[in-house]
Amino acid sequence: MAGAHLDRLAAPLRFLAQRDFRALGRVRGLPALLEASLAEARSLGAPPGEVRLLSEALAASRGRSIDAQAEALRRLADHLQSPDPASAERVATPAPVSKPPPAPRPAAAAPRVSKRRAAAKEVPAPPPNPPDARTLSIAPREGPLAASLRRSGMRINPRLLAALEKKGLGRVGDLLFLLPRAYEDRRRLHTLRELRPGERAVAVGTVHLAREVVLRGGRRVFQAVLGDATSSITLTYFQTGPWMKGRFPVGARLIVSGELRATPAGREMVHPEVEPADEGQEPSVHFGRIVPLYPGFERHEQRQVRALVHRICSTAARAVVDPLPEPLRQRLGLLALGAALERLHAPDDGDDLNALAEQRGPAHRRLAFDELFFLHLGLALRRQGVKISPGIRFQVDQARLDRARALLPFRPTRAQERVFSEIARDMARPEPMHRLLQGDVGSGKTAVAAMAAALALQDGWQVALMAPTEILAAQHHRTLQRLLGPLGVDVALVTGTGSVGDRRRARTRVAAGRAQLAVGTQALVQEGAVFDRLGLVLIDEQHRFGVLQRHALAGKGQRPDVLVMTATPIPRTLAMTLYGDLDLSVLDELPPGRTPITTRVLFPKQRPRAWSALEAELLRGRQGYVLFPLVEASEKVDLQDATRGAEELQAAFPGWSVRLLHGRMAAAEKDAAMEAFRRGEVQVLVCTTVVEVGVDVPNATVMVVESAERFGLSQLHQLRGRVGRGTEPGHCFLVASMAGGAEALGRLRVLEETSDGFRVAEKDLELRGPGEFLGTRQSGVPELAVANLARDQALSAVAAEEARAIAEADPRLARPEHAPLVHALEERWEGRLALAGVG
Ligand code: ADP
Ligand code: MG
C-alpha cells in the first residue's frame, strides 16, 4: 500500500514517530495534510481500512485531545509501515506518457515505530468516528420534508438510495438540510493547456487511454491520459485495481480537480479528484457554476448526490416553512429559509468563494442565525418556564440573615455580601431561584453557598450540595459540617464509594429528613437517592455537569431553588448561551490578604529552578503540588509518568514526604493521601488532575505543572488557584515539554502576564474555540452545525436579544404568528424543553 496519497504524510509521521508522537505542535498544518490525503484516498477508492485510519486521524487532529490525536497518528504510522507486497520499493520507469511523479517516498522511509508502541495498541479505544454526513439540526422531523425518499415517489437509483439510507439520510429533508463540506469553482472550466504547474484547478477532458503500468521494481500504478482540443495530461494513481478501469472508460468525459505538476516526461496530476462529466439532463447542475461537495460521499458519487439534492431543492425548498417571523427577517436582512437552502446548494455566481469556504456567506449566515436564535429562544423559555411555576418562598428575615453571616469565621467580602443578598432575595420570592455564581478560584464561593444553605436550613428545608469529585465532596462535607455545626445540622455524605452499609445509612438519613444537608457526588442524582424536603440545590463546578444532571437533582424536590457555582470564568457571551436560563452573580473580589501568585513558564532544562523554589518553600514549612496531566486516551503512559515523577521527587527531596495521588486509585487511598497532605504529614503531593477543582490546602504555596502545554489555559488558571490560598505568596511553575513548540509556549505566557481569570478565559476561547473550551459537555442543548460560538459572537448576541424580546412579549408563544416558532422549537429541542416543568 502506501500510495502517493500517503507519501506526503511520511515525513511528518516519521518525525513524530521518532518523538513518540509528543511533538504534535511542531508539525504545521497536519489537519490540512490529512484532509488532502483523505480526499485522495477516497477519490481513488483506497481500502476502507485505510480511509478509516485517515479519517480518524483527521477527526482527532481537529479534536482537543492530544492523546487521541497521537494515538490515531500512531495507528496510521503503523499502517504505513506494515509490510505489504505492493509497497515494494518504487522505482521510476519510463512510462509511455509521463514518468510517475519525482521521488515518491519509498515505503522503507516510512516512520519506524518501535515494537513496544505497536504492541501497546490495545490501550485506548479510539473515539467513535463522528458521522461524516451531517444534517443540520434544524431539518424538520415531520411534514412532507420528513417523508422518506423511498416513499417520496422520486425515481432514485437504488444503489444511491441504499447508500443514503445507510448514512442516515433517508428522508427528503435530510438532503435538503445536508451541509456541503466544500465548494468547487466551476464557473469557468479550464482547458488543459491553461493549467499551471503548482496550481490547483478544475478542468474537463476526455479519456484517451487508461491502463495499469508496472514500474521497475514491480509496483503497479494506474495511469490515464486525459485530453481536450488544447493539450493532454496524465492522471496517475498509485493505488490500482480492476475497479479503476471502470472509472476511466476510454472516450468518457471527466472533470478533474487537482494540482498540476510538470515532470520531465510531461504534465501530470497525481491523484486528482475525478467526476464523470457526461452532460446528462442537467448540465447546469454540475457545470458553469460553483458546485457543492457533500460530506460522507466519495468523489465519484458526488455527481449523483448533487443531482438528487438539486431535484429536491427545486421542488421542496419552496415548501420549506420559514419559522422566523417575517419582520424580524426583514429587519436583520436575513434570507428566507428556503432561499438560504437553495443558495447553500447552488451558490450564486457572484458569491464569494472564500466566504463559502468559511461558511459565512449569506446562506450560511441565515442558517447560523437560525440555529442560534432557537437555542436562545429555548433557553429563554426554559428560564421563564422555571419562573412561571411557583416554587418555595423561604422565610428570610433579618435575624436569619444575621445568623447566616455569623456562621462564617471571617468577614464576608463586599462581593460576597452583594451576591448573598442577591441569593437571599431570590430565595424569598415564590418563583424558584436559578442562579449561576461565577467566581475565580479562591473568591469564596463555598462561603456564600454555606450562607445560602443556612437560610434554607433555618426554614426547615433540606439542602443538597453536588460536587464533581469524591475528594471535593469530602472537603465540602468537612467545611459545611464545621460552618453549619452551630445550627445543629446533621450533614450526610452521599457518594458512590464506601461500604454498602454506610451508603445505605446515609441515604436513609437523607430520605427520612434526619440529615438536613446532603453533600455528595453524582450519586445524589441517581435513582434511589430520595429527599424528604429538598428546598435548595447547590451545584459546585457546574461546567463538569450537563444541564440534564442539574435538572435531575432539582427534580428530587418540589421546584427547589438552585444555585450553580463555577470557577471557570466563562466569557459573558458564551455564558449567556450556555447558561441563558440562569441569572448571573459574579464574585469579582478576592478575600483580603491574598498575594498574587507568580507564574513562570519553564523549559524542561530549567526545571531545577522550580525544584529549588519548591525546596525553599518546604524549608519554610510550606507544601507543594507537582502535577502531571492525565487523559484517558493515554492513561497508562501518563500514570507511568506521574509514578516516575513521584519517585524522582522523593529521591530529590529525601528529607520530605512525597505522596502520589491519582484518579485511578481506590477512593480510600485517595482520601488517605489527601488527608495526609492536608494535615501536613505529606509535604509534596504528586498528582494528576484530581486537585483541579476546589481543593483547599492553604499551606500549599508551590505548584509545578509538568507537560503544561497539554492543559487548557483556563484549566491551568484553576490549577494555580490551588496555591496562594492563604496569606503566603504562591508560586506556579509551568514546565512546558518541548512537544508543544513555540506556539504552546506563547500560549502559556498568557498566564505569566495576567492573573485575571476572565482575561485568561477570553484568551483561551480565542485560541481554542468554544468546543474545546467547554469540553464536550454541551449535552442538553441543540447541536450547532453552522454557527460557531466563538466566531459568531455578534450574531449570537443579536439572536439572543431577539429571542428574549419574543419570550418576554409572548411568554407562552400563544400568538398565531408565533405558531411556527413553537413548532420549530419542539423539533429542534426534541422535547427537552419539557424540563422547564421539572426544574
Ligand atoms: P472558591 O470555592 O471560590 O474557590 P472558597 O470558598 O473555597 O473559594 O474559599 C477559598 C478560601 O478563602 C477558603 O480557605 C475560605 O475559607 C477563604 N475565604 C473565603 N471567604 C473569605 C473571606 N471573606 N475572608 C477571608 N477568607 C475567606
Ligand atoms: Mg470551590
Side-chain angles (χ1 to χ4, degrees):
M1 47 104 353
H5 58 293
L6 295 179
D7 280 345
R8 68 175 95 216
L9 285 170
L13 285 180
R14 191 168 51 237
F15 170 87
L16 289 172
Q18 282 159 0
R19 285 155 189 81
D20 205 13
F21 294 87
R22 282 171 188 264
L24 291 169
R26 284 169 69 190
V27 177
R28 299 202 150 260
L30 200 51
L33 276 178
L34 288 165
E35 193 163 32
S37 301
L38 179 60
E40 287 181 6
R42 286 207 169 114
S43 82
L44 60 90
E50 197 169 286
V51 172
R52 189 173 38 81
L53 284 173
L54 278 165
S55 72
E56 279 168 5
L58 178 60
S61 77
R62 287 172 173 157
R64 80 180 165 139
S65 161
I66 290 175
D67 295 88
Q69 193 179 347
E71 192 47 39
L73 289 171
R74 186 170 288 147
R75 280 195 304 269
L76 191 59
D78 285 353
H79 174 67
L80 259 167
Q81 205 191 18
S82 69
D84 180 325
S87 64
E89 203 168 330
R90 280 175 245 142
V91 181
T93 45
V97 185
S98 88
K99 272 198 210 163
R105 269 184 209 87
R112 295 208 167 276
V113 180
S114 78
K115 279 256 161 54
R116 189 177 65 76
R117 272 290 160 226
K121 267 197 294 193
E122 89 276 359
V123 183
N129 221 11
D132 271 340
R134 190 141 85 136
T135 302
L136 295 171
S137 66
I138 58 180
R141 291 184 175 80
E142 55 182 59
L145 290 175
S148 80
L149 286 168
R150 203 171 271 285
R151 257 165 276 131
S152 66
M154 295 177 71
R155 300 237 317 270
I156 301 170
N157 174 336
R159 273 177 60 191
L160 176 63
L161 189 57
L164 287 167
E165 283 170 347
K166 208 165 141 219
K167 291 180 201 296
L169 302 174
R171 296 169 304 183
V172 176
D174 292 338
L175 286 174
L176 189 59
F177 285 83
L178 183 61
L179 189 65
R181 67 165 163 86
Y183 293 89
E184 191 165 276
D185 185 3
R186 293 189 192 167
R187 283 173 292 192
R188 199 172 98 59
L189 294 175
H190 294 80
T191 62
L192 294 177
R193 185 201 289 280
E194 284 172 326
L195 299 177
R196 295 269 157 268
E199 283 174 16
R200 289 191 70 85
V202 187
V204 66
T206 306
V207 179
H208 289 333
L209 185 72
R211 61 175 160 181
E212 271 182 19
V213 177
V214 181
L215 306 182
R216 208 185 330 143
R219 182 169 180 82
R220 287 164 177 277
V221 300
F222 184 86
Q223 292 192 319
V225 178
L226 196 73
D228 68 3
T230 64
S231 181
S232 68
I233 61 171
T234 303
L235 315 179
T236 301
Y237 295 88
F238 285 94
Q239 188 112 31
T240 181
W243 64 89
M244 287 301 273
K245 269 228 150 97
R247 294 210 191 135
F248 295 86
V250 172
R253 272 163 57 77
L254 297 180
I255 295 182
V256 283
S257 166
E259 183 184 322
L260 190 81
R261 299 206 222 179
T263 73
R267 303 189 323 143
E268 176 180 55
M269 275 190 191
V270 178
H271 291 249
E273 299 192 16
V274 176
E275 196 179 305
D278 40 281
E279 281 125 297
Q281 325 82 311
E282 307 145 298
S284 63
V285 179
H286 311 290
F287 295 103
R289 66 187 319 163
I290 301 170
V291 300
L293 299 176
Y294 294 98
F297 294 94
E298 293 186 15
R299 190 55 197 234
H300 63 276
E301 300 169 313
Q302 289 291 337
R303 185 187 170 90
Q304 277 190 315
V305 179
R306 191 182 305 125
L308 180 58
V309 172
H310 175 77
R311 273 160 71 200
I312 291 175
C313 241
S314 56
T315 53
R318 247 146 266 160
V320 173
V321 180
D322 196 328
L324 291 185
E326 171 87 28
L328 180 155
R329 234 175 53 220
Q330 299 276 349
R331 189 152 32 83
L332 301 178
L334 295 169
L335 290 176
L337 183 55
L341 290 168
E342 277 182 293
R343 184 108 164 240
L344 181 76
H345 296 297
D348 286 355
D349 273 358
D351 277 352
D352 178 349
L353 268 176
N354 289 329
L356 281 171
E358 289 161 22
Q359 308 200 326
R360 52 174 179 79
H364 288 103
R365 190 177 123 86
R366 154 66 214 238
L367 297 171
F369 179 86
D370 199 298
E371 289 182 329
L372 293 167
F373 174 80
F374 283 98
L375 173 65
H376 287 299
L377 186 60
L379 292 171
L381 291 176
R382 194 152 74 176
R383 166 157 140 168
Q384 270 177 352
V386 167
K387 292 279 149 91
I388 286 168
S389 37
I392 303 160
R393 173 184 227 138
F394 290 94
Q395 287 305 312
V396 176
D397 55 36
Q398 198 54 47
R400 285 180 175 178
L401 287 170
D402 290 344
R403 189 118 196 254
R405 279 197 200 90
L407 293 171
L408 300 186
F410 37 70
R411 243 183 89 132
T413 63
R414 278 207 313 276
Q416 282 170 323
E417 281 289 2
R418 188 190 62 236
V419 170
F420 178 50
S421 50
E422 284 165 359
I423 292 169
R425 205 171 48 214
D426 279 0
M427 290 179 67
R429 287 193 184 131
E431 60 270 21
M433 167 169 78
H434 245 199
R435 187 167 282 278
L436 175 67
L437 171 52
Q438 267 193 18
D440 218 338
V441 236
S443 57
K445 295 183 292 297
T446 314
V448 172
M451 290 193 285
L455 285 185
L457 293 166
Q458 292 181 80
D459 206 22
W461 291 90
Q462 278 180 306
V463 178
L465 176 96
M466 179 158 73
T469 63
E470 306 259 337
I471 288 185
L472 201 53
Q475 178 179 295
H476 281 318
H477 181 241
R478 215 173 7 252
T479 308
L480 293 180
Q481 247 174 346
R482 182 160 40 83
L483 290 180
L484 301 173
L487 292 178
V489 195
D490 179 4
V491 187
L493 182 62
V494 179
T495 65
T497 56
S499 83
V500 179
D502 282 351
R503 264 150 60 191
R504 208 192 36 235
R505 269 188 293 280
R507 286 188 176 184
T508 316
R509 270 159 61 212
V510 175
R514 286 201 303 281
Q516 296 92 334
L517 178 57
V519 180
T521 57
Q522 287 183 51
L524 281 172
V525 300
Q526 265 136 31
E527 276 178 49
V530 181
F531 288 81
D532 177 42
R533 236 170 100 77
L534 181 58
L536 176 66
V537 169
L538 305 165
I539 298 180
D540 199 11
E541 309 297 348
Q542 153 76 8
H543 66 294
R544 291 284 173 126
F545 297 110
V547 179
L548 296 177
Q549 279 162 308
R550 191 211 306 162
H551 282 278
L553 182 52
K556 304 263 173 194
Q558 285 294 315
R559 293 184 226 295
D561 280 6
V562 177
L563 178 70
V564 165
M565 298 175 273
T566 179
T568 308
I570 295 163
R572 208 179 171 92
T573 36
L574 208 51
M576 286 198 335
T577 304
L578 277 184
Y579 307 125
D581 57 339
L582 300 176
D583 293 311
L584 186 65
S585 289
V586 181
L587 280 180
D588 49 8
E589 180 187 0
L590 292 182
R594 298 279 169 85
T595 42
I597 302 159
T598 52
T599 301
R600 287 281 158 271
V601 178
L602 301 179
F603 295 108
K605 269 197 223 130
Q606 298 170 304
R607 189 177 286 114
R609 279 170 59 180
W611 287 24
S612 49
L614 176 59
E615 186 175 26
E617 290 296 301
L618 291 176
L619 287 168
R620 298 175 55 223
R622 307 289 165 196
Q623 293 161 279
Y625 300 96
V626 178
L627 222 105
F628 285 81
L630 176 83
V631 289
E632 245 167 75
S634 61
E635 199 173 62
K636 272 193 186 168
V637 179
D638 288 345
L639 284 179
Q640 281 166 12
D641 286 351
T643 311
R644 209 175 317 120
E647 286 162 8
E648 278 173 29
L649 275 154
Q650 186 63 79
F653 297 96
W656 312 100
S657 167
V658 177
R659 183 82 80 98
L660 179 65
L661 169 61
H662 62 73
R664 285 290 166 268
M665 286 169 28
E669 254 183 293
K670 281 195 274 191
D671 288 349
M674 200 63 228
E675 200 44 46
F677 185 65
R678 199 190 310 284
R679 284 202 300 262
E681 293 156 12
V682 165
Q683 292 86 37
V684 180
L685 193 66
V686 177
C687 43
T688 57
T689 35
V690 279
V691 295
E692 179 185 331
V693 275
V695 173
D696 191 18
V697 179
N699 194 45
T701 52
V702 185
M703 170 165 291
V704 182
V705 183
E706 292 286 342
S707 301
E709 78 286 346
R710 288 175 58 191
F711 294 92
L713 288 185
S714 298
Q715 207 180 3
L716 287 170
H717 177 70
Q718 283 209 56
L719 288 169
R720 70 176 169 177
R722 301 299 116 222
V723 293
R725 306 214 97 193
T727 48
E728 290 297 310
H731 310 275
C732 175
F733 297 93
L734 305 174
V735 184
S737 73
M738 292 313 291
E743 232 171 291
L745 281 180
R747 194 164 65 89
L748 294 176
R749 300 248 183 252
V750 172
L751 293 169
E752 282 187 341
E753 285 153 21
T754 182
S755 54
D756 177 346
F758 280 89
R759 278 203 47 209
V760 172
E762 290 283 1
K763 199 79 197 163
D764 207 11
L765 178 66
E766 195 181 299
L767 292 169
R768 291 192 303 161
E772 300 183 35
F773 177 82
L774 296 166
T776 48
R777 286 280 187 196
Q778 276 202 53
S779 57
V781 297
E783 209 180 326
L784 303 176
V786 190
N788 172 325
L789 288 176
R791 183 193 68 181
D792 298 329
Q793 291 198 5
L795 193 64
S796 179
V798 174
E801 202 177 302
E802 297 288 346
R804 218 159 291 151
I806 290 180
E808 253 160 46
D810 183 14
R812 295 181 187 277
L813 298 184
R815 293 185 199 160
E817 71 267 28
H818 288 158
L821 290 180
V822 175
H823 190 71
L825 270 173
E826 277 165 5
E827 289 197 323
R828 293 172 201 198
W829 282 76
E830 294 183 90
R832 284 178 296 226
L833 280 177
L835 285 169
V838 183

